[in-house]
């Protein structure tokens, strides 16, 4: 009433209770702050500044106005009748002071001189992935993640290209634990991730770091002066759906193609649908589910007090595969995992801290056979199952050849595996004097694995049967013990800031595997009664295998970080590693791995004060790394052979045949890398842009090279035989902004270019390798090629006329191969490199929107410039089925313009060639998520901090031209990389979930 009377009196006097308040919003340097959000009258009146920071709002003189903007501290100023000049203090400096985790310590983000990418928890959460690295796909420049479609599958992660032919998985450091397997880690437990991409950042880990380092920090309670406990529940349920299922020829098309082929080969026998009972089977439908269930449920409890911080997490994850296993004797195609984690830190005194982490995981997998290739090639003219329940087979007449029934392949196999992993880490940290801290940590990582595969006695056809049941058991134990000690000293004098680190590390890795096989083992439907000793004991003892190894590492390392006036930066590291793997003449082999990085923050210079740039730093680094993850199993190259005769004896003796020669003095691989780049931020921290150039050379790469078979030592030699280079550019841009109090948005994009080249091979040699057909391998290592490149004949078309047939020596309708040497004969000298599985570019971009309680985010991802070798299409021996694309485009008497060869069984057309090399480019909606968070006022009434519901779609749409399920081919070795040979495809996942915190 008082305000009403006052307003009425003012109105009578001709005075407005509120008037237009005008002004301009500026930052500390006097530049305008565009789009700043202004509120008056307790938020009942609001407006936004224009692009020049100018604003106009109706308010009473003397009343408070609130100014807010992303990247600035909120400002409150009383309105004046004169045009106002409002200064907002930038909070960008706080962002730039962000601390990132690096090897054996932390560092201010502004001080980093290497290439370090940060992935936060918000970029990883609520994704339906068993492995946290799957959620990184497309998020970070320089990091290429290739997912596996198998339930619980581990993705392949390459940092700045292929680091080693022997294997390119990076080193993971999880709360100080060094490992190359994080399948035990629940993604919901991850708080942040630092990806050390260049050698300067990674060199502190020496011979472990050749393929890059990923440091993962799990969640901890936040330190507080009083007791606080937070409970978080995350739960989602989803459906995995096969997408882009390849269309194959139906029965009618198959019969037409078969008859075309018969006519082309002058075979008078033809077939018709009646001969097969008018059967039309879609084999993909027979082996695939329409959808498969995935679930992810997690609970975490975190708390803190003045002296203690802790976090406990429990997780349950299940993922069913898209294969319709579980019928017959098969137990299914799925993955289940239970995880538990406890992390805590306790301050005994202000100077002495202890803490640790305990993680446990148990994973159960039902393994099935993978009959994707069988389903692709099986003729569609016989049934999966007959009416009487028996399995369908092709008739003897007319004979189409030998083909397995894919449904029976799934049903007559039973495989299970159980893996238990325990990782325990403890540390103690003491501040000896001001600035000097000592830390010791001890880790024990244990894995127990048991798996079996069982095939019963069965009969489908003469080519698909098992005369005796067979049970194979495998037991594996692994133990890794790591002891590390560091001493860290920090000193600040005037403008000088120094951090020095010295450390000692010792690790021992042990593993043992036992495999035993027995035959004639009965099965009554109960796993508990499936024992080896129920079978043929004599056969059991004859088929046992025991392997094991013990490897020790010992390391000394140090680092110095120096900053002058926060603008001149220097970072130098050195590590000396020794490994028992490289133990020659009783002496352990050791090597030293140095690195250096430098940076210059130009925005700290006076000449940049009025540039309008918030932050600009140029940086350069150089470093050397090693790779000790090299198999040294010399005896694996020898095999027993029967039928050797000596002297006049007529008794055949067992002999040993050497298939390849392995160099006993193999040394570790050496990676040397140079990196140049810059980091920048503009418009009050809303826009950031980073660019890097890298040149990464791997020397002494372990690989096979060809040797003359006349040597009697096989036809290949394994040694430090090659050198190859990865080089390219990385670009990363981000924009985050806020409009008003309720609307936020952000956009990001990154792109990486990769140029890979083999620059040297020992003695100018080469090796033909990889899968092959009729004695023709499809890959070749050689100088000038790319690692894993395909090798074969260049197709220049299809023979269309008799004149061309006479010239090429091939019939009309066959493939024309390029005669590269012009001698009129197509032979091995006409082969060339046909493409590479390594993308020339990888990229990702996306956006996020937030309005009040609604949030929307969409991520896109893709690769370009790589090729896939379609071995599924290449592997033809007779009357395999055709894909629909081939049906539509093959040469025939009714399609003389066909660009594909005529249907035929000629092995000449099946030789490795560019016809089977297809573009692997793809563009995908990687993840789309829509969420809604309930209003805080409502949540207060039910005493809950947060409730958010969301729906998401992962891989819902992928655009590509490859003739297969998916151009993303999973976790493959370098020898198999890019070859689609019965690969389990990546599918779409649709999810619904809820987050609750109280």
């Amino acid at each position: 009433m008082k305000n009403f009377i006052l307003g009425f009196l003012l109105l009578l006097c001709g005075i407005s209770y509120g008037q237009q308040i005008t002004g301009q919003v500026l930052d500390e340097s006097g530049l305008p702050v565009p789009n700043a959000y202004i509120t008056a009258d307790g938020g009942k009146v609001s407006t936004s500044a224009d692009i020049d920071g100018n604003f106009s709002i109706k308010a009473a003189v003397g009343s408070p106005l609130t100014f807010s903007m992303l990247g600035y501290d909120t400002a409150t100023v009383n309105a004046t009748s004169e045009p106002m000049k409002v200064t907002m203090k930038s909070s960008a400096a706080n962002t730039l002071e962000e601390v990132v985790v690096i090897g054996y310590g932390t560092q201010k983000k502004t001080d980093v001189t290497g290439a370090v990418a940060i992935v936060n928890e918000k970029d990883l959460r609520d994704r339906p992935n068993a492995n946290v690295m799957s959620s990184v796909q497309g998020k970070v420049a320089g990091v290429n993640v290739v997912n596996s479609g198998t339930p619980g599958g581990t993705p392949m992660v390459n940092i700045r290209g292929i680091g080693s032919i022997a294997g390119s998985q990076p080193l993971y450091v999880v709360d100080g634990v060094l490992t190359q397997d994080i399948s035990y880690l629940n993604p919901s437990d991850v708080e942040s991730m630092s990806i050390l991409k260049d050698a300067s950042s990674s060199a502190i880990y020496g011979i472990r770091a050749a393929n890059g380092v990923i440091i993962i920090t799990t969640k901890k309670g936040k330190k507080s002066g009083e007791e606080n406990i937070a409970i978080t529940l995350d739960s989602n349920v989803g459906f995995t759906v096969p997408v882009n299922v390849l269309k194959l020829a139906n029965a009618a098309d198959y019969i037409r193609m078969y008859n075309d082929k018969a006519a082309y080969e002058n075979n008078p026998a033809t077939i018709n649908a009646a001969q097969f009972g008018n059967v039309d089977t879609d084999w993909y439908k027979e082996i695939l589910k329409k959808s498969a269930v995935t679930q992810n449920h997690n609970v975490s409890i975190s708390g803190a007090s003045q002296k203690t911080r802790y976090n406990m997490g429990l997780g349950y994850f299940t993922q069913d595969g898209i294969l319709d296993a579980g019928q017959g004797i098969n137990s299914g195609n799925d993955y289940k995992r239970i995880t538990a984690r406890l992390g805590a830190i306790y301050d005994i005194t202000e100077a002495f801290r202890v803490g640790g982490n305990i993680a446990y995981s148990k994973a159960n997998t039902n393994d099935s056979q993978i009959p994707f290739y069988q389903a692709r090639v099986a003729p569609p003219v016989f049934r999966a199952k007959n009416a009487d329940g028996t399995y369908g087979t092709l008739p003897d007449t007319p004979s189409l050849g030998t083909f397995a029934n894919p449904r029976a392949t799934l049903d007559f196999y039973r495989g299970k595996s159980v893996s238990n992993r325990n990782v325990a880490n403890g540390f103690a940290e003491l501040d000896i004097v001001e600035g000097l801290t000592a830390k010791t940590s001890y880790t024990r990582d244990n894995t127990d694995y048991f798996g079996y595969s069982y095939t019963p006695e069965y009969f489908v056809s003469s080519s698909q049967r098992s005369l005796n049941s067979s049970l194979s058991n495998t037991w594996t134990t692994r133990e890794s013990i790591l002891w590390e000690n560091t001493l860290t000293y920090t000193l600040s004098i005037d403008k000088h800031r120094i951090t020095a680190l010295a450390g000692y590390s010792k690790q021992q890795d042990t593993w043992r595997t036992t495999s035993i096989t027995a035959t004639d083992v009965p099965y009554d439907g109960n796993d508990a009664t499936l024992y080896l000793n129920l079978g043929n004991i004599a056969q059991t003892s004859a088929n046992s295998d025991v392997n094991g190894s013990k490897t020790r590492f010992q390391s000394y390392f140090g680092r110095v970080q120096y900053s002058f006036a926060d603008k001149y930066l220097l970072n130098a590291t050195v590590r000396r590693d020794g490994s028992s793997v490289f133990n020659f003449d009783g002496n352990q082999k050791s090597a030293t791995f140095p690195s250096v990085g430098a940076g210059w923050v130009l925005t700290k210079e006076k000449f940049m004060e009025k540039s309008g740039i918030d932050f600009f730093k140029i940086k350069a680094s150089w470093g050397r790394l090693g790779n000790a993850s090299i198999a040294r199993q010399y005896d694996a190259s020898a095999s027993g052979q029967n039928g050797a005769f000596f002297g006049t004896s007529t008794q055949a003796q067992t002999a040993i045949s050497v298939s390849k020669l392995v160099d006993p003095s193999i040394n570790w691989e050496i990676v040397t890398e140079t990196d140049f780049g810059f980091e920048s931020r503009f418009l009050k921290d809303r826009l950031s842009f980073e660019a890097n150039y890298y040149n990464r050379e791997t020397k002494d790469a372990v690989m096979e090279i060809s040797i003359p078979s006349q040597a009697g030592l096989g036809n290949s030699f394994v040694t430090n035989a090659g050198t190859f280079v990865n080089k390219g550019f990385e670009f990363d841009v981000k924009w985050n902004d806020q409009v008003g109090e309720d609307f936020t948005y952000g956009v990001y994009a990154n792109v990486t270019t990769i140029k890979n080249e083999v620059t040297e091979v020992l003695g100018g040699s080469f090796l033909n390798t990889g899968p092959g057909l009729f004695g023709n391998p499809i890959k070749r290592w050689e100088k000038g090629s790319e690692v894993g490149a395909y090798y074969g004949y260049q197709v220049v078309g299809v023979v269309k006329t008799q004149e061309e047939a006479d010239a090429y020596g091939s019939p009309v309708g066959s493939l024309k191969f390029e005669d590269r040497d012009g001698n009129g004969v197509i032979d091995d000298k006409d082969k060339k490199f046909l493409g590479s599985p390594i993308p020339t570019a990888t990229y990702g971009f996306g956006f996020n929107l937030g309005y009040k309680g609604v949030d929307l985010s969409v991520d896109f991802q893709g690769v370009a410039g790589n090729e896939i070798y379609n071995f599924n299409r290449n592997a033809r021996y007779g009357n395999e089925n055709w894909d629909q694309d081939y049906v539509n485009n093959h040469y025939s008497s009714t399609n003389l313009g066909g660009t594909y060869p005529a249907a035929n069984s000629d092995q000449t057309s099946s030789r490795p060639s560019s016809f089977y090399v297809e573009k692997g480019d793809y563009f995908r909606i990687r993840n789309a998520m829509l969420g809604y968070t309930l209003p805080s006022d409502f949540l207060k009434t039910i005493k809950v901090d947060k409730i958010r519901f969301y729906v998401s779609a992962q891989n819902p749409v992928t655009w590509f031209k490859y003739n297969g399920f998916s151009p993303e081919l999973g976790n493959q070795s370098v020898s198999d990389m890019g070859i689609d040979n019965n690969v389990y495809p990546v599918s779409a996942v649709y999810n619904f979930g809820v987050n609750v915190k109280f």
Side-chain angles (χ1 to χ4, degrees), residues 245-473:
V245 178
L246 183 67
K247 187 173 179 55
L248 300 175
N250 59 21
D253 281 336
Y254 177 82
I255 291 170
R256 179 169 61 85
M257 291 289 291
Y258 178 92
N259 292 333
D260 282 353
K261 176 172 169 287
Y264 181 79
E265 296 175 342
N266 297 317
N267 179 3
T270 60
I271 61 175
N272 60 70
Q275 292 172 296
F276 302 97
N278 295 305
V279 174
D280 189 0
T281 301
D282 185 331
W283 285 109
Y284 280 146
K285 285 186 178 179
E286 293 294 335
I287 67 169
L288 290 173
K289 298 176 182 177
K290 291 183 179 179
S291 64
V293 177
T294 178
Q295 297 183 65
N296 192 8
H297 309 289
N298 302 282
V299 58
S300 67
I301 303 173
S302 63
S305 64
Q306 190 171 0
K307 290 192 172 184
T308 306
R309 289 93 72 198
Y310 65 88
N311 182 275
M312 296 182 289
L314 294 173
Y316 176 68
F317 178 88
T318 68
Q319 183 180 19
D320 290 345
I322 59 174
L323 282 171
D324 190 18
Q327 302 180 33
I329 195 171
N330 198 292
S331 53
N333 172 220
D334 57 61
Y335 174 83
K336 298 181 178 66
R337 184 184 64 196
I338 297 173
T339 58
R341 171 176 288 272
L342 171 62
I345 301 173
Y346 179 68
D347 298 332
I348 297 177
T349 68
E350 291 186 0
F352 185 42
R353 297 166 292 281
V354 296
N357 298 276
I358 300 174
Y360 169 77
S361 73
K362 181 175 183 178
N364 288 269
T365 304
N366 283 317
D367 304 311
S368 69
Q369 296 283 45
I370 303 177
F372 285 106
Y373 171 74
Q374 290 182 357
R376 178 168 179 147
V377 301
V381 293
F382 71 101
R383 292 184 173 88
K385 278 191 173 183
N386 299 313
D388 60 1
T390 59
Y391 289 90
T393 60
L394 281 167
D396 294 332
T397 303
S399 176
L400 299 181
T402 301
F403 292 95
N405 182 321
R407 179 69 259 169
T409 298
L410 271 181
D411 292 351
F412 288 118
Y413 176 84
R414 187 174 186 85
K416 279 182 174 290
S417 61
V418 179
S419 177
N420 290 281
R421 189 164 177 185
N422 299 274
V423 182
N425 165 264
F427 73 87
E429 193 173 55
L430 175 65
D431 298 331
I432 301 173
V433 294
E434 184 178 354
L436 180 62
T437 302
K439 182 178 180 179
T440 184
S441 66
Y442 180 86
T443 301
R444 188 165 185 162
D445 183 354
N446 287 84
T447 301
D448 294 310
Y449 168 88
F450 170 72
Y452 78 73
S453 62
Y454 179 74
T455 303
E457 180 182 343
Y458 72 94
F459 183 91
V460 175
S461 66
S462 58
S463 60
Q464 189 177 13
R465 62 181 180 173
S466 176
L467 298 179
N468 302 98
S469 62
S470 174
L471 173 64
S472 296
N473 285 1

Side-chain angles (χ1 to χ4, degrees), residues 830-852:
D830 295 309
K831 290 182 178 180
K832 61 177 290 189
F833 289 102
L834 303 173
S836 168
I838 302 174
T840 57
T842 61
Y843 59 92
F845 63 93
F847 65 88
N848 61 81
L849 307 172
Y851 181 72
K852 295 186 176 180

